[in-house]
Amino acid sequence: MKTISTQLSYFLEDRAVQRNLWLLVRYVLLLIAVIFVFTVGFHFIMLYVEGEQHSWITGLYWTLTVMSTLGFGDITFQSDIGRLFSVVVLMTGIVMLLIVLPFAFIRFFYAPWLEAQIRNRAPRALPADTRDHVILCHHDPIAKGVIDRLERDDIPYVVLEPDPRAAGDLLYDGVTVMAGNTDSRDTYDAARASQARFVLANQGDVDNTNVTLTVREAAPDVPIAAIVNDDDSQDILELSGATHTLPIKRWLGEQLASRINAQHAELHPIGQYRDLRFAELPVHNTPLQGKSIREAGLRDKFGVTVGGVWERGTFRAAQPDYTLGPSSVPVVVGTTDQLQRLNERISPYDVNPNPVLVIGGGTVGRAAVRTLSQRDVPVHLVERNPERCQALRPHCEAVFQGDASEYTLLRKAGIDDAPSVLLTTNDDAVNIYLASYCRRLNPELRVVSRITHERNLEAIHRAGADFVLSYATLGVEAVYSALKGKRLVVLGEGVDLLTRDVPSSLRGRTLAESEIGARTGLNVVAIEHNGTFTTDLTADSTLPPNGRLIMIGTDAQASTFVEQFEQE
């Protein structure tokens, strides 16, 4: 903790503070001069008008009591001139002592002092023994999500903030923060970058390039992940020394494109963990629709495990008696061969050769259109910007320039017969409106959308969206996958793949005896032991020592697992 002398030194070094203090001193000198003049005036009137003689201490005493409005009344003037003088002294005291002085003190000293305390609250260096920590170069929605994961996994971290006041505010909110410029090598030396586990450059492309080069000077071997905003910057960041480049916006478009229904029923691959593959299984217009998970028999027929079921934004536990409706999308887990056999079984169903409708041709929309084009999925694009329309025309079957809220334009673009619509604008209000509009025009349509702010997640699902993914959620998953050295698996908003060693308290117990599902809500989809994955789990499956649990659930459920089983 900083001493008063250290805080004062920081305080007095500021040029604005020095200027303010000089103004305050000048005012105090003026106040002293006024008090002196009034003291002399008191003596003059008392001696030559009232005919009384008093000491200089008495004169100062009278001046101060009148100016401060105390007015004890023990010394008073009897003449009109003396009383008029008293009024002048009184009014001057009200203005200078009771109004201007408190304001000047607060404005020129107290407020800057509090500001200096806030600015100097955050440290400017980490302890010398700090190591294996994660350095985040900016506090944004992605960093907030990553911090939640780091705290859950007990991994130390620090956020760099160039503005000392903002750093103080973050520290007050419970964030581990260090004040320092992200383009200065001294900052990374103070942050012990050479002993860090990971550095995240999560600013703009230009700033991220500067951060990467600066970190490489201080720590040549530390892994650096740089978020890419413009695809053209990816090569530059790689050449600058970034270990991982994360084009989140492009990946967002690709992830959204992988969630649409097009041409016929098929699995939507969403990632893998070593030999395990994860995919979504839309049951719309397939033989699985209307059946319970038990009746579907996916484990018996194909060997896959159902890890949960999406129902328009809500992730539900895979209970055996859960009935799969037309909007149900189970998350299935299995090997490549198992998922391929399941995909072959459902591919003849839900045939719809009509083009997919993509609304918005920005960075995300462009990535989605190109991904669908590579899969030979016909696309109709609706976009207002003529330059974007022209650039994406080679990848689309048809392009419709105009406002997507126009009924005639959507009808012309094929909303009535399209199997899916993909909303890629960066305006949440527009996406919510279009989700509701498209759902009303075509109730059978699969609506896939992006959002910017997670607070709008519930609203857009109520509007009719089947699948929604935000930039921040994908960014958190991408960063944490790079940190952990695993492949990216994106299950959806608020749902994560959790891999944990079997806690000592659960070793040798059966899955039923562990009560993992009952106590946390997590669904154990596989157990890894000696490099082998077991997916056909039953209540009698044993949790082996040195085994690893593969589970699906929300971040809150993952935190509950840590509290229930790893902190006992």
Side-chain angles (χ1 to χ4, degrees):
M1 189 141 179
K2 294 182 175 67
T3 62
I4 295 296
S5 60
T6 304
Q7 293 184 13
L8 277 173
S9 65
Y10 280 124
F11 178 64
L12 297 175
E13 286 174 0
D14 192 294
R15 290 184 179 273
V17 170
Q18 293 174 358
R19 184 171 59 252
N20 290 340
L21 286 177
W22 173 235
L23 290 173
L24 181 60
V25 169
R26 288 172 63 184
Y27 178 77
V28 171
L29 292 175
L30 174 63
L31 182 61
I32 293 173
V34 170
I35 293 172
F36 175 76
V37 169
F38 286 157
T39 301
V40 172
F42 169 82
H43 280 282
F44 182 85
I45 295 174
M46 276 292 183
L47 181 62
Y48 294 104
V49 178
E50 302 284 336
E52 298 181 11
Q53 188 171 359
H54 297 275
S55 67
W56 286 102
I57 296 297
T58 302
L60 178 62
Y61 163 79
W62 178 89
T63 302
L64 292 177
T65 57
V66 173
M67 289 185 70
S68 63
T69 71
L70 292 176
F72 293 132
D74 51 343
I75 302 175
T76 59
F77 288 103
Q78 302 302 319
S79 65
D80 289 342
I81 294 177
R83 289 175 177 174
L84 181 62
F85 177 70
S86 298
V87 171
V88 172
V89 173
L90 178 65
M91 297 304 296
T92 305
I94 290 175
V95 173
M96 297 192 69
L97 285 181
L98 302 186
I99 298 177
V100 178
L101 181 60
F103 172 80
F105 177 77
I106 293 174
R107 172 66 180 83
F108 297 129
F109 181 80
Y110 188 67
W113 169 254
L114 290 181
E115 176 80 11
Q117 286 187 310
I118 294 174
R119 291 169 63 89
N120 296 318
R121 188 188 307 170
R124 285 168 170 73
L126 298 183
D129 59 350
T130 303
R131 60 182 62 254
D132 294 332
H133 56 294
V134 175
I135 299 175
L136 308 173
C137 294
H138 182 55
H139 190 262
D140 60 1
I142 291 179
K144 290 173 63 178
V146 172
I147 288 171
D148 290 339
R149 299 279 183 90
L150 294 172
E151 291 178 342
R152 182 193 71 193
D153 294 340
D154 199 25
I155 297 176
Y157 72 91
V158 65
V159 176
L160 301 183
E161 174 53 57
D163 182 0
R165 180 179 178 82
D169 292 339
L170 288 174
L171 189 66
Y172 182 79
D173 292 336
V175 177
T176 304
V177 64
M178 192 190 92
N181 294 317
T182 56
D183 58 355
S184 170
R185 173 173 177 170
D186 292 340
T187 298
Y188 297 101
D189 288 335
R192 316 302 173 189
S194 61
Q195 301 166 188
R197 175 188 304 217
F198 191 80
V199 176
L200 174 62
N202 55 329
Q203 303 180 84
D205 291 339
V206 174
D207 291 331
N208 287 344
T209 302
N210 197 355
V211 166
T212 302
L213 291 169
T214 306
V215 172
R216 279 287 167 254
E217 294 179 16
D221 301 322
V222 67
I224 303 174
I227 291 179
V228 180
N229 295 291
D230 188 337
D231 287 347
D232 294 335
S233 301
Q234 187 165 357
D235 292 340
I236 298 174
L237 286 165
E238 290 175 350
L239 291 172
S240 299
T243 313
H244 310 277
T245 51
L246 312 177
I248 306 298
K249 290 184 178 179
R250 172 160 59 84
W251 288 352
L252 180 58
E254 294 171 354
Q255 286 287 335
L256 294 173
S258 70
R259 262 47 183 229
I260 58 97
N261 293 346
Q263 300 180 310
H264 56 79
E266 63 178 348
L267 294 177
H268 300 158
I270 56 178
Q272 72 177 82
Y273 175 76
R274 297 186 184 174
D275 295 333
L276 286 181
R277 265 60 175 178
F278 297 82
E280 291 182 346
L281 170 59
V283 301
H284 182 258
N285 289 340
T286 71
L288 301 177
Q289 182 176 328
K291 294 183 178 181
S292 67
I293 293 178
R294 179 185 288 110
E295 292 170 343
L298 296 178
R299 177 178 292 174
D300 297 334
K301 296 176 183 178
F302 305 101
V304 300
T305 299
V306 179
V309 182
W310 281 108
E311 289 285 359
R312 287 191 178 171
T314 302
F315 191 75
R316 304 187 184 279
Q319 301 295 336
D321 296 329
Y322 187 89
T323 301
L324 301 174
S327 62
S328 301
V329 182
V331 175
V332 293
V333 185
T335 64
T336 301
D337 292 339
Q338 291 169 340
L339 295 183
Q340 184 175 351
R341 287 191 289 112
L342 175 58
N343 194 53
E344 292 172 353
R345 176 69 177 83
I346 66 171
S347 60
Y349 300 97
D350 197 25
V351 176
N352 187 337
N354 294 298
V356 170
L357 188 58
V358 177
I359 299 179
T363 304
V364 176
R366 181 170 65 247
V369 167
R370 290 176 175 174
T371 300
L372 293 172
S373 176
Q374 292 170 1
R375 291 168 47 192
D376 295 325
V377 175
V379 175
H380 282 182
L381 173 67
V382 178
E383 168 59 49
R384 285 187 294 187
N385 188 307
E387 295 179 359
R388 292 176 178 176
C389 291
Q390 188 63 29
L392 291 175
R393 198 175 298 276
H395 304 283
C396 302
E397 185 176 281
V399 175
F400 300 85
Q401 183 181 341
D403 194 334
S405 62
E406 296 180 7
Y407 174 71
T408 55
L409 182 65
L410 283 182
R411 290 292 299 272
K412 188 184 298 184
I415 187 67
D416 294 329
D417 301 317
S420 301
V421 61
L422 182 53
L423 310 175
T424 68
T425 77
N426 61 1
D427 189 325
D428 286 355
V430 171
N431 289 340
I432 292 171
Y433 171 80
L434 291 176
S436 179
Y437 194 26
C438 293
R439 174 63 64 200
R440 184 165 185 173
L441 294 176
N442 186 350
E444 296 296 317
L445 190 71
R446 178 166 171 81
V447 180
V448 177
S449 177
R450 68 172 286 192
I451 59 169
T452 302
H453 304 291
E454 292 186 21
R455 64 176 181 268
N456 295 318
L457 181 62
E458 185 177 348
I460 197 167
H461 279 300
R462 286 200 309 267
D466 294 287
F467 180 83
V468 180
L469 187 62
S470 70
Y471 174 85
T473 294
L474 180 58
V476 171
E477 296 291 349
V479 170
Y480 218 69
S481 295
L483 172 63
K484 291 291 188 178
K486 64 180 185 180
R487 297 192 180 188
L488 178 62
V489 178
V490 182
L491 298 175
E493 286 288 338
V495 180
D496 186 27
L497 176 68
L498 183 68
T499 60
R500 311 293 289 192
D501 293 332
V502 175
S504 57
S505 60
L506 300 181
R507 294 171 186 170
R509 294 189 181 185
T510 64
L511 199 55
E513 293 171 342
S514 71
E515 298 182 332
I516 292 176
R519 295 172 64 179
T520 68
L522 291 169
N523 188 12
V524 181
V525 297
I527 297 176
E528 181 186 5
H529 187 235
N530 294 331
T532 302
F533 289 94
T534 303
T535 58
D536 53 343
L537 302 176
T538 66
D540 297 326
S541 297
T542 303
L543 305 182
N546 303 321
R548 194 163 182 81
L549 300 172
I550 316 300
M551 300 173 287
I552 292 177
T554 65
D555 290 338
Q557 292 169 341
S559 298
T560 302
F561 178 89
V562 174
E563 295 172 0
Q564 292 284 332
F565 300 109
E566 296 185 354
Q567 296 180 357
E568 292 182 346

